[in-house]
């Protein structure tokens, strides 16, 4: 699963737009949610402008 | 709860759609998941004066942080080209205060009769007999269904309305610009010009901007295509740039965001649904500018919603006028910008110097972007051969 560092996150929502599974990522104000639907494709990790998303190994 | 049209998202696209639909006599609800419209900002806030005035003939001075004379373009080797404000494209002219601007647009929609619901997040579409008939929301933590004839998805880069309606709006990494920006305070900021810096070392597959905001402040930001990015790269690169360009500068705010640079979508409508603005990839792929296109599409969507409801046909076919009108207005430019972007991605810094350098000896002050590209083509036919069909 994806690891979202909420202390780094600047809650821009960019990652949602590249996520191939529409329902697995969501931004609510300053809260980023990654659900079980995440396919670990890591596309969003490259997009995050602050490096707050990491694929868990 | 019931209404004629639900608009999801209270950015410039949503507010203009809500206002246009309400002015046409519809019962409109505009939802915004945040508690404050316009905040946090995800924008460099540049717009062309002439185009903004097309939508808003009376400009409220509180929206404008700076009124610039033009743009300065810097090649990787430091060569500087100066363009006048009215020729430099849709992002140069005024630098807005979007926290104020976005709220004003929403307030205008409210004055026209639209209901605004903040801290209300659309979580899915409602269906009845297989047809879309509104949105499911969470409002202050409670579920609330809102039935409507039409849903306008103005939910920005993170749009889900389209995907819920079966329109694939997922962006490929090469079709999103990942951005970071500081609001920098520094005495050396030139309040007359928006600056653009190019080069693969400082901004691979993108550019850096410095947009003045008055009082020695400027939005200093970077956008790079996702396919050339890596985790946190935009923030690292813009931090380096600020240290080099404004060694004594102080960052007083930080902005991050994603910007579609994806070209024209095949469809932006489904039965009962229209997408506008970033949700419909209406952003210019070359510049990343999307405020004005979102507003333009919003107005069209609001007007078409009224006609379709009056005609009793909110199917995709009934909403065709929306597709036709926004495409007639902006799709040619979007397509062209996408091809320019794709081409520019292939250029080395040496190529960029070769392209921009010779322009320094020409008078380009009154030339628009197309005129400049035409001139570049004349001066560098070999390098720009791929773009020849766009230059004519
Ligand atoms: C760093 C950066 C710099 C930019 N600089 C410029 C520039 O200088 N000039 C320019 O013209 N453009 C610029 N842009 C692009 C510009 O910001 C966008 O094109 C513009 O904001 C699009 O307007 P919109 O109404 O489509 O979407 P947005 O302004 O993004 O508004 C969408 C709204 O929908 C809300 N929302 C999302 N999901 C939901 C949901 N499920 N329920 C309820 N609400 C929801 C969001 O919270 C948001 O408020 C920039 C973008 C970035 C990221």
């Amino acid at each position: 699963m994806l690891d979202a560092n909420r202390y780094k996150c600047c809650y821009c929502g960019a990652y949602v737009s590249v996520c191939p599974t529409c329902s697995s990522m969501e931004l609510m104000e300053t809260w980023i949610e990654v659900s079980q639907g995440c396919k670990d494709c890591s596309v969003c990790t490259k997009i995050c402008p602050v490096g707050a998303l990491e694929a868990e190994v | 709860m019931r209404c004629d049209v639900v608009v999801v998202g209270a950015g410039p696209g949503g507010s203009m759609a809500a206002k246009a639909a309400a002015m046409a006599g519809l019962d409109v609800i505009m939802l915004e998941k945040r508690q404050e419209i316009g905040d946090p900002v995800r924008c460099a806030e540049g717009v062309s004066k002439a185009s903004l005035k097309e939508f808003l003939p009376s400009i409220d001075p509180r929206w404008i942080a700076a009124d610039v004379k033009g743009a300065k373009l810097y090649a990787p080797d430091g060569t500087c080209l100066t363009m006048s404000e009215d020729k430099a494209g849709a992002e140069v002219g005024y630098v807005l205060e979007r926290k104020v601007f976005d709220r004003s647009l929403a307030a205008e929609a409210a004055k026209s009769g639209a209901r605004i619901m903040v801290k209300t997040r659309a979580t899915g579409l409602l269906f009845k007999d297989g047809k879309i008939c509104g949105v499911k929301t969470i409002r202050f933590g409670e579920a609330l269904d809102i039935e409507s004839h039409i849903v306008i998805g103005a939910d920005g880069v993170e749009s889900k309305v389209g995907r819920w309606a079966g329109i694939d709006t997922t962006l490929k990494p090469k079709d999103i610009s990942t951005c970071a920006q500081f609001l920098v305070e520094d005495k050396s900021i030139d309040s007359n010009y928006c600056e653009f810096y190019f080069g693969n070392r400082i901004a691979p597959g993108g550019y850096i901007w410095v947009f003045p905001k008055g009082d020695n402040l400027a939005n200093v930001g970077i956008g790079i295509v996702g396919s050339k990015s890596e985790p946190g790269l935009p923030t690292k690169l813009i931090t380096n740039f600020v240290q080099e360009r404004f060694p004594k500068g102080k960052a007083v705010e930080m902005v991050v965001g994603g910007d579609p640079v994806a070209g024209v979508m095949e469809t932006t409508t489904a039965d009962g649904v229209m997408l506008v603005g970033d949700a419909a990839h209406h952003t210019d792929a070359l510049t990343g500018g999307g405020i004005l296109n979102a507003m333009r599409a919003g107005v069209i969507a609001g007007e078409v919603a009224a006609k379709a409801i009056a005609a009793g046909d909110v199917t995709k076919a009934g909403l065709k006028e929306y597709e036709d009108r926004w495409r007639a207005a902006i799709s040619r430019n979007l397509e062209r910008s996408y091809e320019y972007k794709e081409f520019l991605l292939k250029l080395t810094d040496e190529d960029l110097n070769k392209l921009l350098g010779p322009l320094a000896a020409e008078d380009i002050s009154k030339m628009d972007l197309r005129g400049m590209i035409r001139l570049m083509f004349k001066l560098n036919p070999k390098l720009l051969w791929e773009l020849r069909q766009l230059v004519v």
Side-chain angles (χ1 to χ4, degrees), chain B residues 9 12-13 32-34 42-46 98 122 155 179 278 290-291:
Chain B
E32 172 52 56
K33 68 178 174 179
R34 302 176 188 172
R42 294 174 192 154
C43 191
E45 306 175 292
R98 273 199 65 183
D155 44 344
C179 311
D278 280 10
I291 300 170

Side-chain angles (χ1 to χ4, degrees), chain A residues 26, chain B residues 8-14 31-34 42-47 90-91 98 102 120-122 154-158 164 179 181 209 211 255 257-259 276-279 283 288-292 294:
Chain A
E26 179 70 305
Chain B
V8 180
L31 312 177
E32 172 52 56
K33 68 178 174 179
R34 302 176 188 172
R42 294 174 192 154
C43 191
E45 306 175 292
V47 282
E91 292 70 45
R98 273 199 65 183
D102 284 21
T120 307
R121 180 168 59 94
D155 44 344
V157 68
E158 62 197 285
W164 293 329
C179 311
Q181 173 179 285
W209 61 82
F211 286 6
V255 164
D259 206 4
V276 309
D278 280 10
T283 338
I291 300 170
L292 294 167

Side-chain angles (χ1 to χ4, degrees), chain A residues 16 19-26, chain B residues 159-164 170:
Chain A
V16 182
C19 177
T21 62
C22 174
S23 55
S24 67
M25 300 193 96
E26 179 70 305
Chain B
S159 177
K160 290 195 170 181
V161 171
R163 296 205 242 183
W164 293 329
T170 315

Side-chain angles (χ1 to χ4, degrees), chain B residues 51-324:
Chain B
S51 304
L52 188 66
K53 284 175 188 163
E54 261 178 55
F55 301 108
L56 306 163
S58 107
I59 302 286
D60 183 336
R62 289 173 307 163
W63 302 339
I64 313 299
D67 181 342
V68 301
K69 281 189 191 151
K72 289 188 173 175
L73 277 52
Y74 291 90
D77 64 4
T79 304
C80 175
L81 309 172
T82 305
M83 299 173 80
S84 85
E85 139 297 292
D86 53 332
K87 303 287 178 194
E91 292 70 45
V92 177
Y94 290 133
V95 182
L96 296 171
E97 199 59 76
R98 273 199 65 183
K99 284 177 196 163
V100 180
F101 180 72
D102 284 21
R103 274 184 214 193
S104 279
L105 294 189
E108 283 296 314
K111 277 184 213 151
S112 304
R115 284 181 271 173
I116 319 285
M117 291 168 71
V118 293
K119 210 156 174 70
T120 307
R121 180 168 59 94
T123 55
L125 295 171
L126 289 172
F127 289 87
K128 197 174 182 182
D129 303 326
K131 288 188 186 140
I132 292 164
C133 64
V135 289
K136 295 180 202 167
T137 77
I138 302 277
R139 176 168 166 76
F140 295 112
E142 307 272 334
L144 171 72
D145 289 351
I146 306 176
E147 288 177 36
S148 67
H149 300 294
I150 289 178
V151 177
I152 296 180
D155 44 344
V157 68
E158 62 197 285
S159 177
K160 290 195 170 181
V161 171
R163 296 205 242 183
W164 293 329
I167 307 169
D168 187 7
T169 56
T170 315
L171 289 165
K172 296 189 188 87
K174 77 176 185 63
D175 288 338
I176 182 169
S177 173
T178 162
C179 311
Q181 173 179 285
F182 292 110
L183 178 63
V184 173
E185 196 277 337
D186 191 85
K187 283 203 178 75
S188 74
I189 286 163
D190 182 348
S191 60
N192 289 317
Y193 287 93
C194 286
E195 297 174 3
F196 297 86
Y197 293 81
F198 301 94
N200 288 298
R201 185 185 65 82
I202 58 164
Y207 65 88
I208 283 175
W209 61 82
V210 178
F211 286 6
K213 292 197 70 177
D215 280 338
N216 295 332
L217 291 167
N219 287 331
V220 183
I222 186 170
I224 56 183
V225 284
S227 50
K228 293 207 177 189
S229 190
E230 51 190 68
L233 188 63
T235 305
K236 272 181 225 149
L237 290 173
I238 199 61
T239 304
N240 293 346
F241 178 83
V242 170
Q243 278 164 2
E244 276 177 33
R245 172 72 176 78
F246 303 106
K248 292 193 178 150
K250 297 176 193 95
V252 294
E253 193 177 282
M254 186 178 177
V255 164
V256 296
D259 206 4
V261 286
V264 179
M265 270 175 52
E266 239 168 65
T267 185
T268 58
T269 49
D271 290 346
V273 171
M274 289 180 271
L275 302 180
V276 309
D278 280 10
H281 304 175
H282 283 152
T283 338
D284 185 292
L286 186 62
T287 63
I291 300 170
L292 294 167
N293 283 349
M295 291 171 72
R296 191 169 282 124
V299 173
I300 301 171
E303 289 173 357
V304 171
K307 285 191 192 171
I309 290 171
D313 183 3
V314 299
T315 62
K316 186 174 166 59
L319 301 174
K320 184 172 173 297
E321 183 186 334
Y322 171 64
E323 294 276 5
D324 292 344

